Amino acid sequence: MKRITVLGSTGSIGTNALKVINEKRDEFQVIGISGYSNLSLLIKQVEKFNPKYICIGKENDAKILREKFSDKIIYCGEDGLKKM
Protein backbone atom coordinates (compact mmCIF):
# COMPACT_ATOMS: atom_id res chain seq x y z
CA MET A 1 0.00 0.00 0.00
CA LYS A 2 1.31 3.45 -0.92
CA ARG A 3 1.08 6.18 1.69
CA ILE A 4 0.04 9.54 0.22
CA THR A 5 0.02 13.16 1.36
CA VAL A 6 -2.18 15.48 -0.70
CA LEU A 7 -1.16 19.14 -0.54
CA GLY A 8 -3.94 21.48 -1.59
CA SER A 9 -6.58 18.81 -1.02
CA THR A 10 -9.44 21.33 -1.11
CA GLY A 11 -8.52 22.74 -4.52
CA SER A 12 -9.58 21.33 -7.88
CA ILE A 13 -6.48 19.17 -8.41
CA GLY A 14 -6.51 17.97 -4.80
CA THR A 15 -10.20 17.03 -4.82
CA ASN A 16 -9.71 15.13 -8.06
CA ALA A 17 -6.68 13.34 -6.64
CA LEU A 18 -8.73 12.29 -3.62
CA LYS A 19 -11.49 10.99 -5.92
CA VAL A 20 -8.97 8.72 -7.64
CA ILE A 21 -7.49 7.63 -4.31
CA ASN A 22 -10.99 6.88 -2.99
CA GLU A 23 -11.60 4.54 -5.93
CA LYS A 24 -8.37 2.67 -5.15
CA ARG A 25 -8.44 2.56 -1.36
CA ASP A 26 -6.86 -0.88 -1.37
CA GLU A 27 -3.78 0.65 -3.05
CA PHE A 28 -3.47 4.02 -1.29
CA GLN A 29 -3.62 5.34 2.27
CA VAL A 30 -3.92 9.10 2.81
CA ILE A 31 -1.63 9.99 5.72
CA GLY A 32 -1.68 13.77 5.30
CA ILE A 33 -3.78 16.49 3.74
CA SER A 34 -3.58 20.24 3.58
CA GLY A 35 -5.84 23.06 2.52
CA TYR A 36 -5.47 26.79 2.79
CA SER A 37 -8.86 28.15 3.85
CA ASN A 38 -11.74 25.80 2.99
CA LEU A 39 -12.19 24.49 6.52
CA SER A 40 -15.55 22.81 5.95
CA LEU A 41 -14.29 20.75 3.01
CA LEU A 42 -11.07 19.88 4.82
CA ILE A 43 -13.09 18.59 7.78
CA LYS A 44 -15.14 16.35 5.43
CA GLN A 45 -11.93 15.04 3.88
CA VAL A 46 -10.43 14.28 7.29
CA GLU A 47 -13.58 12.40 8.28
CA LYS A 48 -13.50 10.39 5.05
CA PHE A 49 -9.80 9.59 4.72
CA ASN A 50 -8.67 9.68 8.37
CA PRO A 51 -5.18 11.13 7.81
CA LYS A 52 -2.76 11.40 10.72
CA TYR A 53 -1.43 14.81 9.59
CA ILE A 54 -3.44 17.91 8.68
CA CYS A 55 -2.29 21.39 7.70
CA ILE A 56 -4.39 24.51 7.17
CA GLY A 57 -3.42 28.07 6.37
CA LYS A 58 -4.91 30.02 9.27
CA GLU A 59 -4.23 29.59 12.98
CA ASN A 60 -7.91 30.12 13.91
CA ASP A 61 -8.87 27.23 11.63
CA ALA A 62 -6.06 25.09 13.06
CA LYS A 63 -7.48 25.67 16.54
CA ILE A 64 -10.88 24.42 15.38
CA LEU A 65 -9.26 21.33 13.85
CA ARG A 66 -7.32 20.64 17.06
CA GLU A 67 -10.55 20.75 19.06
CA LYS A 68 -12.43 18.53 16.62
CA PHE A 69 -9.63 16.03 15.90
CA SER A 70 -7.59 15.68 19.08
CA ASP A 71 -6.05 12.43 17.82
CA LYS A 72 -4.48 14.12 14.75
CA ILE A 73 -1.30 16.13 14.32
CA ILE A 74 -2.38 19.59 13.15
CA TYR A 75 -0.05 22.06 11.48
CA CYS A 76 -0.63 25.60 10.31
CA GLY A 77 0.72 27.81 7.53
CA GLU A 78 3.85 27.54 5.43
CA ASP A 79 5.95 26.32 8.36
CA GLY A 80 3.36 23.63 8.98
CA LEU A 81 3.59 22.43 5.38
CA LYS A 82 7.35 22.15 5.73
CA LYS A 83 6.98 20.09 8.90
CA MET A 84 4.33 17.87 7.43
Side-chain angles (χ1 to χ4, degrees):
M1 180 170 294
K2 294 183 182 180
R3 296 167 26 142
I4 303 284
T5 296
V6 180
L7 304 179
S9 68
T10 60
S12 61
I13 294 171
T15 54
N16 284 316
L18 288 175
K19 285 179 187 176
V20 171
I21 291 167
N22 190 53
E23 293 172 2
K24 299 185 180 260
R25 291 199 92 161
D26 56 331
E27 296 178 37
F28 299 103
Q29 176 189 12
V30 177
I31 62 163
I33 60 173
S34 73
Y36 182 70
S37 63
N38 192 338
L39 180 61
S40 61
L41 179 54
L42 192 63
I43 288 171
K44 289 177 186 175
Q45 292 172 341
V46 169
E47 291 171 343
K48 184 170 191 171
F49 292 98
N50 194 31
K52 180 177 181 177
Y53 305 98
I54 307 164
C55 185
I56 193 154
K58 300 176 186 174
E59 185 57 46
N60 288 341
D61 291 340
K63 183 179 177 184
I64 293 168
L65 289 171
R66 287 182 188 109
E67 290 172 2
K68 186 164 181 63
F69 301 107
S70 60
D71 62 327
K72 310 290 182 200
I73 298 172
I74 312 292
Y75 297 111
C76 181
E78 187 177 331
D79 287 339
L81 282 175
K82 291 175 185 176
K83 290 177 185 176
M84 193 168 72

